[in-house]
Amino acid sequence: MAITLGAVIFLATLAPRDEAVVAVVPDPPGVRLSGPTDRQLILVDGKTVDGQTIDLSRSARFRSMDPAVATVDRDGFGRPVGDGRTTVVVEAERLSRSVDVVVEGA
């Protein structure tokens, strides 16, 4: 694709979307929240068929399996609610992965 603005030409290469994502990898793979003000951002990478890593954090969806222990917002920030253990399910590109969450001192 080429865009001309005045005398400057910008060339852009669009990444092909036919490279299938075969794995979703949350980072960190586990979360420990200590204290009522602790926070943790969960980033999400995707692994493609050819081994490339792509950032899926913006398109990922997050769901806490026990919101009485921890919540997670749509940006991936986990927050403590009550002491205990839960799981956050991360979904992206029709794949999902679980992140174990431990909350202490909430």
Side-chain angles (χ1 to χ4, degrees), residues 17 19-24 46 54 56 59-61 91-96:
R17 290 305 296 164
E19 291 187 32
V21 174
V22 295
V24 172
I54 58 173
L56 299 175
S59 64
R61 292 177 309 282
E91 298 174 337
E93 297 290 320
R94 297 177 304 279
L95 299 170
S96 65

Side-chain angles (χ1 to χ4, degrees), residues 26-81:
D27 182 25
V31 172
R32 181 173 298 274
L33 299 170
S34 300
T37 60
D38 201 3
R39 304 286 184 266
Q40 177 65 56
L41 176 62
I42 300 171
L43 300 174
V44 183
D45 287 335
K47 298 289 183 182
T48 64
V49 169
D50 64 357
Q52 291 185 15
T53 300
I54 58 173
D55 183 4
L56 299 175
S57 299
R58 292 184 134 188
S59 64
R61 292 177 309 282
F62 304 89
R63 181 178 70 238
S64 173
M65 299 308 291
D66 189 350
V69 174
T71 60
V72 61
D73 66 19
R74 68 183 194 185
D75 295 322
F77 278 100
R79 292 176 173 80
V81 176

